[in-house]
Amino acid sequence: MMGWNTLSQRERMLVGVILPLVCVVLFYLYLWQPTHTEVSRLRLSVPEKNANLAWMRNRLAGADPGDRSQAAPASGGPLLTEIERVAIAAGVKDAIQRVQPGNDDTVELWFQEVVADQLFRWVDQLSGSGIAVDTATITRASPGLVSARVKVRRGSS
C-alpha cells in the first residue's frame, strides 16, 4: 500500500472525504437498515403474539384444573383449528383434499369422495361451533359418496 505521504494533496482530500462516506453507507446498509426493518416487523408481530398468549391463558384459566391435556379450545378458537377438530369428530378429515383460508374469516374446503351422511354431520357440528356454511357445491361421486366444495365463515350468516 502506498504511504499517506506519497499521495498528492488532492488525493488526500478525496480519501478523506470518500472514506467516511463509504463507512457511513456500509454502516447504514449492513447494520442500521436491517435492524430497523426487523424492529418494525417485531412491532407488528409482538402485539399479535401477546393477544394469542392472553387468549390461551384465558382459555387455560377456564379449563378443568385436573385436565391440562385438553388445553386446546373446544370452540371459539382459531377457525382452521376448529374446522379440523370438527372434521376429525365427524370422520371427514381424510376426505379433505384442499383447504384455502380466505382473508375475511372464511375458509374454503374441497372434499373428494366423502360419505354424504358424514359430510352433513360435519356441517351440523360446525353450526354448533358457531361456524356457518357460506356456499356449498356438492356432486355425486358414486352411490353414497359425494365430492364437495364448501366455503365456511365464522359466525352465523
Side-chain angles (χ1 to χ4, degrees):
M1 181 169 161
M2 294 191 312
W4 180 257
N5 294 333
T6 61
L7 296 177
S8 69
Q9 182 66 26
R10 183 176 182 192
E11 290 171 336
R12 288 183 194 169
M13 186 176 70
L14 281 174
V15 169
V17 170
I18 299 294
L19 188 61
L21 184 61
V22 167
C23 289
V24 168
V25 168
L26 290 176
F27 172 78
Y28 177 78
L29 289 177
Y30 291 104
L31 290 173
W32 183 263
Q33 195 255 349
T35 303
H36 183 67
T37 302
E38 184 66 12
V39 167
S40 296
R41 187 189 67 77
L42 289 173
R43 280 191 181 139
L44 295 175
S45 70
V46 168
E48 180 181 320
K49 301 290 184 195
N50 284 338
N52 285 342
L53 178 61
W55 179 83
M56 286 185 223
R57 285 183 177 160
N58 186 22
R59 297 296 296 173
L60 187 59
D64 180 16
D67 190 15
R68 293 294 180 186
S69 66
Q70 292 294 337
S75 64
L79 183 59
L80 287 174
T81 303
E82 189 64 20
I83 290 170
E84 182 179 21
R85 184 189 67 77
V86 175
I88 291 169
V92 297
K93 183 176 186 302
D94 294 336
I96 298 173
Q97 295 298 308
R98 182 176 170 198
V99 178
Q100 182 174 347
N103 41 340
D104 55 347
D105 213 15
T106 62
V107 175
E108 195 163 2
L109 300 108
W110 283 261
F111 294 87
Q112 187 168 3
E113 296 190 355
V114 62
V115 176
D117 291 337
Q118 289 178 330
L119 181 66
F120 297 132
R121 185 178 321 119
W122 174 75
V123 169
D124 188 44
Q125 290 175 355
L126 277 180
S127 66
S129 297
I131 301 171
V133 173
D134 204 23
T135 59
T137 305
I138 301 173
T139 57
R140 182 177 175 187
S142 61
L145 298 177
V146 295
S147 293
R149 183 176 178 180
V150 181
K151 184 175 183 181
V152 296
R153 173 183 308 277
R154 170 83 66 193
S156 56
S157 296

